[in-house]
Amino acid sequence: MEVFCGKKSDEVLDYLLKRRSANAQDLHAPGPNDEELERILAAASRVPDHGKLVPWYFIVFHGVWSEQVGTKLAEIYKAENPQASEERVQLETTRFSRSPVVVAVISRMRRGNKPMWEQILSAGAACQTLSLAAHASGFGASWITEWYGYHPEFKAYLDLDERDHVAGFIHIGKPGAVPEDRPRPPLDTIFTNWREGAALHKGDAQFDQDKFGFPETGFDVSGLNKTK
Ligand SMILES: Cc1cc2nc3c(=O)[nH]c(=O)nc-3n(C[C@H](O)[C@H](O)[C@H](O)COP(=O)(O)O)c2cc1C
């Protein structure tokens, strides 16, 4: 197999510069067939991975099993929201079956000596590569997590354990409408040419304080550097 590194491709670059997620509510049949899906997953499994830990795996939802999962989701939602409207419960029922294929990318912590943070990053890379590969195969893709990506009962139903986290549910199908673009961060707010003493453009003024009123410091991120 020929391996690419540093091969010029204006098409790929142009695509990356114009990439947009599809709308998860607007992805229709046909989804990728088995062969296409296998290629999409193979692309996702080539992401950088410090320590070769393979700290992720994929669960594919399609057909009747997407409906089955939706039934479970609606059951959990209804139990926690007894006042929920029929319409809302119906929405929960169709969360997975509304797209022809959904791939859950699960971040799984391995025991090696590499920081958890790096293992999580690798799972994020798998999500994005999977989405890009789906696009390059002629489909739209949408990376979501929603409330159920964090719900203990739903995670247990899927057979996830304490080492597993939902990095994303990637919905794949033929997009109805191509969504309008959205504003992207001005590059000069998020990059700095390094020199000693330079004030780094960290985007704080635009993306912390103005938007959310966050202080500049005060996050506890210490846990992410732990190796185990
Ligand atoms: C980890 C992660 C989880 C996300 N979860 C959701 C979600 O649950 N619902 C949602 O509407 N968008 C979610 N998004 C955002 C969409 O994937 C997408 O980025 C957004 O709709 C903007 O579209 P764009 O990718 O074209 O800029 C998530 C993104 C990431 C990286």
Side-chain angles (χ1 to χ4, degrees):
M1 181 179 68
E2 189 189 357
V3 173
F4 293 142
C5 183
K7 185 185 178 212
K8 188 168 169 19
S9 171
D10 289 334
E11 202 181 349
V12 171
L13 191 58
D14 185 51
Y15 166 71
L16 290 173
L17 287 167
K18 294 175 183 160
R19 180 210 70 83
R20 268 238 65 179
S21 299
N23 186 333
Q25 286 99 49
D26 193 23
L27 287 167
H28 310 280
N33 60 31
D34 289 352
E35 200 183 315
E36 288 167 326
L37 187 60
E38 202 176 309
R39 274 169 32 132
I40 291 168
L41 296 176
S45 68
R46 290 190 68 96
V47 292
D49 166 9
H50 194 182
K52 303 177 188 65
L53 301 175
V54 193
W56 25 257
Y57 61 93
F58 310 119
I59 311 171
V60 179
F61 300 88
H62 44 186
V64 288
W65 293 107
S66 295
E67 290 167 25
Q68 181 79 34
V69 163
T71 304
K72 180 67 186 177
L73 212 51
E75 187 188 304
I76 295 173
Y77 190 83
K78 223 172 159 176
E80 291 185 357
N81 303 277
Q83 312 299 343
S85 66
E86 261 313 304
E87 206 181 358
R88 180 60 202 249
V89 173
Q90 182 59 18
L91 169 91
E92 299 304 335
T93 311
T94 56
R95 287 273 195 190
F96 282 75
S97 53
R98 67 190 174 186
S99 317
V101 172
V102 178
V103 181
V105 177
I106 308 299
S107 160
R108 182 159 178 83
M109 296 302 143
R110 303 291 181 199
R111 287 196 201 287
N113 60 354
K114 301 296 177 271
M116 279 199 306
W117 170 238
E118 297 190 1
Q119 299 190 36
I120 297 166
L121 286 174
S122 185
C127 289
Q128 183 61 358
T129 303
L130 201 151
S131 305
L132 296 175
H135 280 273
S137 306
F139 300 96
S142 177
W143 174 358
I144 61 174
T145 42
E146 289 297 339
W147 63 268
Y148 41 90
Y150 298 91
H151 197 283
E153 189 182 339
F154 185 63
K155 288 169 67 182
Y157 171 73
L158 296 180
D159 197 27
L160 307 193
D161 62 35
E162 65 279 3
R163 290 167 59 188
D164 297 322
H165 293 86
V166 175
F169 295 111
I170 316 295
H171 288 243
I172 304 174
K174 292 285 177 193
V178 177
E180 299 259 302
D181 202 6
R182 66 179 179 91
R184 304 292 163 173
L187 279 187
D188 61 358
T189 65
I190 52 162
F191 101 93
T192 309
N193 283 313
W194 168 258
R195 60 180 159 71
E196 241 178 72
L200 302 183
H201 297 140
K202 299 184 180 183
D204 289 357
Q206 298 81 5
F207 307 114
D208 272 350
Q209 285 131 21
D210 288 0
K211 252 176 131 173
F212 302 108
F214 282 173
E216 279 184 22
T217 55
F219 287 121
D220 178 12
V221 293
S222 53
L224 292 174
N225 283 323
K226 292 197 179 120
T227 52
K228 294 189 179 154

